[in-house]
Amino acid sequence: MSEQSIFTLAVHAGERSTETTPLTGPDAGRSYTPVVTPVHHSVGYIYEDTEDLDAVFAGASENPVYTRYGNPTVNAFEAAVASLEGGAAALAYSSGMAALHGALLAAGARAGAAVVAAQDVYGATYALLDRLLASQGVTVRFVDVADLHAVSATLQELRPVALLAETVSNPLLKVADLPALARLSHEAGATFIVDNTFASPVLCRPLRLGADYVVHSATKYLGGHGDVLGGVVAVGRPEMRRALNEVNKLLGANLAPQEAWLAHRGLKTLPLRVERQCRNAAIVAEWLNTHPQVEKVNYPGLSSHAQHALATSLFGGERYGAMISFDLAGAGRAEVFRFMEALRLIQPATTLGDVYTLTLYPAMSSHRALDPETRRRIGIGDGLVRLSAGIEEAEDIILDLKQALRVL
Ligand SMILES: Cc1ncc(COP(=O)(O)O)c(C=O)c1O
């Protein structure tokens, strides 16, 4: 059978694989299955034959035994993400940060090892590397991943255990050349970890382009409704999931069953939402690009974007994502605050990828962990605003931006 569309996969993936219950009474021998995987709140599982339980502990099977080791509701969500990312398996976490931490540890980030990362990763990812892992003896180096020569030289110099990049960076919307970075990573013996949160599997499936671990903050597009905090790592081979799970059995950064259920429910409309969000973002980015109070718009769909051609080749030419960032002309913190406070429809909330259109001031929130000098060096100015397009009508989003810009 040819590969199913992502619209079809999103609706069905992960469901009805583990929930068959034998019928009792006269129909014994047959079974029934719920259409939607239920929420398994049970922490423990009992086995009729203790040898079966022993086999789970020995790692011979992945049946449930204790929710920190695995849970059927969480497994269903994991199977769905693996399928959407074109992977073999996935492991879910309590947040996107936990997923990144789990992936880095499983890749071998420990005292004496090195990790190379894109210089404009999400602020907390930067701090995880620069503060936490570095303080534990990991050598951390940030590079501009658009400069492949610099990446290659750094990888050859440090021979790191991992290279970490975001498909589309936060908040500058730079697009990473994933096939080239995968090749350079593997030549240097490094695991290539890709944070695909901004792109989502609707735009891009990094495992197919050479990534080893694909990480998501499931809090964003996968969940999509601003009501669940979660993370997930998709991998190309089942044994890689086992390695992640061995680490996580000790970290205990598990996605809770109720949250997994919500995220899985969100996933079913992921392609529908992202399609509309990308359409809205393209319209809003074009409008902002001609506005006299806007100095610069970062959006991979604009022909003026430095990596527009790369984005077209990676994302297929129809969609360029639903995240935009823009510099308000001559603005600093006070002007950005006035602009954000004047918005009526658009929510100034610290998240992205929701059905609602959202704005955020990176210097105050997502990239607060970086000192002002580092922010400036990587291009995050004091007038930079990030916008996550929702599923509303594009014209309504523009009307709100228009009236808010008038206060400046
Ligand atoms: C690109 C990216 N990766 C990871 C994270 C961390 O995700 P979470 O907030 O679910 O821990 C975020 C959060 O904003 C993000 O934007």
Side-chain angles (χ1 to χ4, degrees), residues 95-97 100 122 166 170 195 197-198 217 219-220 229-230 352:
S95 69
M97 288 315 300
L100 281 159
Y122 169 55
E166 295 173 356
N170 179 7
D195 183 332
T197 300
F198 268 38
S217 165
T219 318
K220 318 299 184 204
L229 186 78
L352 64 101

Side-chain angles (χ1 to χ4, degrees), residues 10-65:
V11 173
H12 294 285
E15 300 288 16
R16 301 174 292 281
S17 54
T18 57
E19 300 295 337
T20 302
T21 305
L23 291 180
T24 51
D27 296 321
R30 300 208 290 275
S31 62
Y32 67 90
T33 309
V35 177
V36 175
T37 306
V39 186
H40 286 257
H41 283 294
S42 183
V43 167
Y45 292 82
I46 46 179
Y47 285 75
E48 206 175 304
D49 185 333
T50 312
E51 291 295 343
D52 292 334
L53 182 61
D54 186 58
V56 181
F57 279 116
S61 91
E62 293 194 348
N63 291 310
V65 55

Side-chain angles (χ1 to χ4, degrees), residues 287 291 293 328 335-346 359 397-408:
W287 180 80
H291 200 286
Q293 285 170 278
L328 290 176
E335 291 76 20
V336 173
F337 280 19
R338 273 217 315 279
F339 165 72
M340 287 180 48
E341 284 163 11
L343 292 166
R344 297 283 168 262
L345 175 75
I346 299 169
T359 51
I397 301 169
I398 288 174
L399 280 176
D400 196 30
L401 289 168
K402 198 185 266 178
Q403 65 82 23
L405 283 166
R406 273 194 218 112
V407 304
L408 296 182

